[in-house]
Amino acid sequence: MPYEAPTHTVERSLRATTGAKIIAGVDEVGRGAWAGPVTVCAAVTGLRRPPDGLTDSKLISPKRRETLAVELESWVSGYALGHASHEEIDGLGMTAALRLAAVRALEGLPVQPDAVILDGKHDYLGAPWQVRTVIKGDRSCIAVAAASVIAKVRRDKMMAELGIDHADFGFAANAGYPSPVHRAALEERGPTPYHRLSWAYLDALPQWRHLKKARSWADVGVPEIEGQLGFDF
């Protein structure tokens, strides 16, 4: 399907209105998965023209995405990845886990950014970061699109490696997201050591429901962003 190429419009606006010189695009992958970490990439691109075909990672074929990620890693001014493990997601909740992963990514950049373009409508970063949220920023903003592709490729590879000893779950194909293969393996074998055990999918698995972890973070009064999907997804 045709799509509009991402631009530097938001970045130029931030530069003009805030005086920011170094701006990082930030995107996550793995928020709705049932297994594995949530991964965040922070990318600084400047105002240069990106490699051809850059857009939201979900709109790019796996083969092209892998090739593009290699191009982007040498094209960007700098990038870094941050991860929050499935244990951290269970213990903290997705909002706090996303912030943890994003801070790890931002702090891993070679130069700290003056401002951040964050994909989506929720600012899960907050102070001291100067944040501009952009819905579908991975399609409209070059830096966010670059972060989207790099994060997706890196996490997919990580999940394929985690799945080597759990072939029935198909992690190499589904990256820990719900799929028919993944669901069938869960029903038969129960969660792997990499599954998120506070997730709602366990409610539909009576034989494994005893493994579900209570959400201790649910009572702290912080609204939880979308991300916990049930078995009927």
Side-chain angles (χ1 to χ4, degrees):
M1 295 178 62
Y3 57 86
E4 292 187 12
T7 69
H8 291 299
T9 299
V10 176
E11 186 168 348
R12 292 182 189 277
S13 172
L14 275 171
R15 287 170 177 252
T17 58
T18 70
K21 295 181 179 179
I22 300 173
I23 299 173
V26 171
D27 198 15
E28 57 77 24
V29 64
R31 183 164 65 188
W34 289 352
V38 64
T39 296
V40 173
C41 180
V44 178
T45 66
L47 298 177
R48 293 172 296 143
R49 179 178 177 178
D52 291 340
L54 177 63
T55 186
D56 173 7
S57 64
K58 297 184 292 295
L59 301 179
I60 306 172
S61 70
K63 183 176 181 180
R64 173 56 184 153
R65 196 162 53 217
E66 291 186 12
T67 301
L68 184 57
V70 173
E71 295 178 44
L72 288 169
E73 288 175 10
S74 60
W75 173 78
V76 298
S77 302
Y79 78 93
L81 291 146
H83 310 278
S85 69
H86 59 286
E87 295 102 334
E88 289 171 325
I89 293 169
D90 283 335
L92 300 172
M94 182 52 76
T95 302
L98 270 174
R99 187 178 195 280
L100 183 64
V103 169
R104 286 169 174 168
L106 288 164
E107 292 183 343
L109 288 170
V111 179
Q112 292 300 284
D114 304 311
V116 174
I117 304 172
L118 187 63
D119 181 54
K121 64 180 179 180
H122 299 283
D123 177 7
Y124 53 78
L125 263 173
W129 308 95
Q130 181 170 239
V131 176
R132 173 78 62 85
T133 58
V134 179
I135 296 173
K136 295 186 178 179
D138 47 8
R139 300 190 187 188
S140 61
C141 304
I142 286 174
V144 179
S148 166
V149 172
I150 294 172
K152 172 68 173 167
V153 169
R154 288 296 193 91
R155 185 181 181 279
D156 282 358
K157 289 181 178 178
M158 183 186 306
M159 291 304 299
E161 292 173 0
L162 292 180
I164 290 174
D165 294 330
H166 305 277
D168 291 349
F169 288 81
F171 286 168
N174 61 49
Y177 282 83
S179 71
V181 168
H182 190 169
R183 297 180 197 203
L186 268 172
E187 289 187 278
E188 180 179 352
R189 299 181 178 275
T192 71
Y194 309 111
H195 274 84
R196 303 169 186 180
L197 297 182
S198 61
W199 246 224
Y201 68 83
L202 280 171
D203 293 336
L205 298 172
Q207 68 273 45
W208 307 111
R209 194 179 297 155
H210 65 284
L211 298 175
K212 189 173 181 180
K213 292 185 177 180
R215 299 174 183 174
S216 59
W217 40 265
D219 298 324
V220 300
V222 178
E224 183 69 4
I225 63 175
E226 296 177 4
Q228 300 189 38
L229 303 179
F231 205 73
D232 294 330
F233 172 76

